[in-house]
Amino acid sequence: MLDSQNKTLRVISILILFLIMLPLVLVIVTSFGNQASISLPIHGFTFEWYKNVFAQPDFIAGFKMSLLVALIASLAALVVGIPAVYALTRFKLRHSSWLQSFFLSPALIPEIVIGFSLYQTAVITMKLPLLLSLIIGHFLLCVPYVIRLITASMLLLDPHIEEAAWICGSSPKKTFFVIVLPNIKTSIIAAFMMCFINSFNNIPISLFLNGPELNMLPTAILNYLQNNYDPTVSAISVMLMIFTALIMFVVEKVLGINELTR
Amino acid sequence: MRKSSAFWLILPALLGVLLFVFYPLFQIALPTFHSGSANIFSLYEKFLSENYNLQVIGRTILIAIITTIITLVLSFPAALWIARQKKFLKSLLSLLILFPMLTNAVVRNFAWIIILGKDGVINEILLSLHIISSPLNILYTNTSIIIGSIYLFLPIMIMSLIGSVSELNLEVEEAAAVLGARPLVSLIKIIIPQLTTGILTGCILVFAGTMTAYTTPQILGGNRHLVMSTLIYQQAMTLGNWTNASVIAIILIIISALTMLLMGRVMKKIDRRAINA
């Protein structure tokens, strides 16, 4: 009954896939409507709302800031996470599975709580600059992805290859950079992409750690949406969808999208 | 390699998580255990004795449960079908599902404002068909939060089910058919039991995700339908009541941790039964 040819199953599945895409299609359609508030069906066609996106300083500044924070946080998570994964998978440590769960734990704590507690500790108690605290928050968001994805591919990499390199006189450090890193390259890219996308899209953590000079794109859109209801939001949404599609295209070209869902 | 070098490799990550996850949690948890009075749980008792707060907690859990069930029901056929397509079609469909998953939550919730709003798509259609005479209030209700959450987590559930359907052994199903099992019997007795781990994993992800989500209840629930996460933000940033916010945060963590623990127990039990059988 559950073979790929089952008709009922096919109809239901296509209907569900259709339902998944429909809301996004509606957003795209409304972005071209020429009325001052969002309505469907649209009357007339205009690019005015796309122009209006660029007239919003919060959106432009937010985009730059989100890009910057996502890049730094993802890279930091890789720089800190990869050595930890290496140690956990290559040294026979006593508490390695315990440590593994420890590093995955930020993913189990509600993001809103991470944002709230980090605001109290980093900003209020430690008096760290807001931008640094924000990057730390996003870094915490990224760490579990790095640990999970890279552990998976480290476990697949035969340790004997490294031993062979040591026997041939390569130092552990050199072996790591010449042998290990190139072999886990695809999972590093996958982890980076997951970190980047999740950090770029994050709202709960960014909400607590923002300020007058520090607005992220998603929170800027949220603010705009609270005060206005016009197709500018549709237009910026379409731009974000194109941004997502571009990232997916690059990932697909570099490593095949299945890497991301492992 | 010497084991001492492992220490230095792990140290930065260890310090990062300790200093910025566990220490802050400790810092917000400490003041919630009221040290002045004999009963250290007095703040919790006070919080839980207020009807409004119980309402918010109840709403949060109810939304999460309904969302999880509906998501599972909707995802199941899609996952069964997609997992068994030829490689090319399968990755194409996975791309289609991943796309919304990687699109910003603001965008995805905004789409539902367009659909559910007073002059949204649904009301326009119902009005023009003369099924209703005045627009329905769907937006800013528990229903709209549930719809938005289902939409948000459908891709995640489908992806986690596809993973476990792909591992299914088709021959067992064929054997059942040869032995005369009707399709529905085979589905209930053969297929679903093999998928339990995938189903439970998906349910944990969706339940915990919905419980702790902020953006969806914020955009689709408005100020009158608060859930725990939006209540935390409101108490902390709008009202400046940090202790109260911390109390909710701790309760939220406890509820989601308990659920995960419970589901994990169930999963282990089922695994053991499968091995013993």
Side-chain angles (χ1 to χ4, degrees):
Chain A
M1 110 154 220
L2 299 169
D3 58 75
S4 52
Q5 303 305 319
N6 187 301
K7 280 216 181 76
T8 337
L9 210 53
R10 187 187 324 175
V11 172
I12 299 174
S13 307
I14 291 174
L15 207 67
I16 288 170
L17 288 171
F18 178 74
L19 278 178
I20 289 180
M21 296 317 288
L22 184 69
L24 298 181
V25 173
L26 292 180
V27 172
I28 298 174
V29 173
T30 56
S31 72
F32 297 110
N34 62 3
Q35 278 161 311
S37 96
I38 299 170
S39 66
L40 272 166
I42 56 167
H43 308 282
F45 183 93
T46 176
F47 280 114
E48 219 32 61
W49 307 110
Y50 287 87
K51 261 189 234 156
N52 194 33
V53 168
F54 292 99
Q56 304 295 324
D58 275 1
F59 287 175
I60 307 296
F63 178 76
K64 284 183 191 154
M65 187 58 82
S66 286
L67 210 60
L68 180 80
V69 170
L71 272 174
I72 298 177
S74 311
L75 289 175
L78 284 173
V79 170
V80 169
I82 294 175
V85 170
Y86 185 79
L88 287 180
T89 51
R90 284 296 182 263
F91 297 81
K92 290 183 179 58
L93 298 176
R94 234 181 305 153
H95 302 294
S96 67
S97 76
W98 189 88
L99 277 168
Q100 180 91 21
S101 328
F102 177 80
F103 290 136
L104 292 177
S105 66
L108 299 177
I109 294 157
E111 284 173 21
I112 193 87
V113 178
I114 291 198
F116 171 54
S117 60
L118 201 61
Y119 176 69
Q120 282 205 22
T121 303
V123 181
I124 307 287
T125 310
M126 295 179 177
K127 301 226 176 345
L128 295 180
L130 210 51
L131 180 62
L132 181 64
S133 312
L134 184 68
I135 292 172
I136 291 172
H138 282 241
F139 160 81
L140 296 172
L141 198 71
C142 297
V143 167
Y145 288 105
V146 172
I147 300 290
R148 207 164 31 207
L149 287 164
I150 295 178
T151 300
S153 74
M154 272 306 288
L155 290 175
L156 288 175
L157 181 67
D158 190 347
H160 291 119
I161 301 173
E162 286 160 62
E163 281 164 24
W166 299 336
I167 293 168
C168 294
S170 167
S171 71
K173 213 179 266 168
K174 192 179 171 199
T175 308
F176 178 77
F177 285 107
V178 178
I179 307 287
V180 179
L181 272 190
N183 270 299
I184 57 170
K185 189 177 60 195
T186 48
S187 67
I188 292 177
I189 300 172
F192 175 78
M193 285 310 194
M194 283 314 269
C195 292
F196 180 83
I197 292 172
N198 275 290
S199 161
F200 190 86
N201 286 336
N202 179 274
I203 290 175
I205 294 177
S206 316
L207 260 185
F208 279 101
L209 303 163
N210 67 7
E213 296 291 308
L214 204 67
N215 214 350
M216 309 287 277
L217 185 57
T219 49
I221 302 173
L222 202 62
N223 281 339
Y224 188 90
L225 194 56
Q226 258 148 14
N227 304 317
N228 313 273
Y229 186 60
D230 68 37
T232 310
V233 182
S234 304
I236 182 88
S237 297
V238 173
M239 291 159 129
L240 280 179
M241 283 186 232
I242 295 170
F243 187 63
T244 306
L246 272 176
I247 292 177
M248 283 176 73
F249 179 76
V250 173
V251 175
E252 173 67 30
K253 279 282 160 259
V254 178
L255 37 109
I257 202 78
N258 291 329
E259 237 1 84
L260 281 190
T261 57
R262 269 210 318 223
Chain B
M1 286 180 293
R2 278 175 296 121
K3 280 209 174 166
S4 62
S5 48
F7 172 76
W8 295 108
L9 292 175
I10 292 177
L11 192 67
L14 194 71
L15 276 183
V17 176
L18 267 182
L19 197 61
F20 296 114
V21 177
F22 285 91
Y23 173 61
L25 279 183
F26 178 73
Q27 213 196 12
I28 65 159
L30 203 60
T32 66
F33 298 107
H34 197 58
S35 52
S37 76
N39 180 4
I40 57 165
F41 295 111
S42 62
L43 284 175
Y44 288 86
E45 271 168 24
K46 189 166 157 260
F47 179 82
L48 292 173
S49 67
E50 275 172 48
N51 221 346
Y52 179 78
N53 296 332
L54 288 178
Q55 226 179 344
V56 171
I57 296 177
R59 179 184 297 132
T60 312
I61 296 175
L62 190 71
I63 288 174
I65 291 175
I66 297 177
T67 302
T68 310
I69 294 171
I70 300 181
T71 311
L72 181 63
V73 171
L74 289 178
S75 308
F76 208 80
L80 279 178
W81 187 70
I82 293 170
R84 301 217 161 147
Q85 295 309 309
K86 294 214 175 63
K87 208 172 169 218
F88 173 74
L89 192 60
K90 191 176 158 185
S91 28
L92 191 77
L93 293 172
S94 303
L95 271 177
L96 216 64
I97 294 168
L98 263 174
F99 182 72
M101 207 165 128
L102 300 179
T103 302
N104 198 301
V106 175
V107 174
R108 286 194 276 170
N109 287 306
F110 167 67
W112 285 99
I113 297 185
I114 299 178
I115 298 170
L116 304 173
K118 263 224 158 71
D119 32 53
V121 181
I122 289 185
N123 273 323
E124 290 286 326
I125 293 174
L126 292 179
L127 282 173
S128 63
L129 291 176
H130 298 290
I131 296 174
I132 52 171
S133 54
S134 58
L136 299 172
N137 282 318
I138 322 172
L139 198 60
Y140 309 126
T141 62
N142 292 346
T143 315
S144 60
I145 303 179
I146 292 173
I147 293 176
S149 308
I150 292 172
Y151 185 62
L152 208 67
F153 289 107
L154 206 55
I156 292 176
M157 185 68 104
I158 295 180
M159 290 318 278
S160 86
L161 286 178
I162 286 180
S164 84
V165 174
S166 305
E167 286 164 16
L168 263 188
N169 193 348
L170 261 178
E171 285 164 9
V172 181
E173 215 181 301
E174 279 165 20
V178 170
L179 293 172
R182 275 176 296 133
L184 199 63
V185 176
S186 152
L187 177 71
I188 293 169
K189 289 205 162 162
I190 310 284
I191 297 171
I192 292 182
Q194 290 188 70
L195 295 179
T196 326
T197 326
I199 293 172
L200 281 177
T201 315
C203 287
I204 295 177
L205 288 177
V206 176
F207 184 85
T210 314
M211 277 281 305
T212 59
Y214 175 82
T215 318
T216 305
Q218 159 71 29
I219 297 180
L220 298 177
N223 286 331
R224 284 201 304 172
H225 287 78
L226 292 181
V227 294
M228 291 173 80
S229 55
T230 41
L231 186 61
I232 293 176
Y233 187 79
Q234 191 213 49
Q235 291 288 337
M237 301 310 256
T238 317
L239 304 175
N241 191 342
W242 287 18
T243 324
N244 227 2
S246 305
V247 168
I248 313 161
I250 302 297
I251 297 177
L252 182 61
I253 291 181
I254 290 174
I255 296 179
S256 44
L258 278 181
T259 332
M260 280 184 234
L261 212 68
L262 193 77
M263 294 279 219
R265 278 277 165 82
V266 173
M267 209 137 65
K268 252 190 197 144
K269 219 169 211 165
I270 288 167
D271 271 354
R272 204 174 306 139
R273 209 181 56 193
I275 291 164
N276 290 339

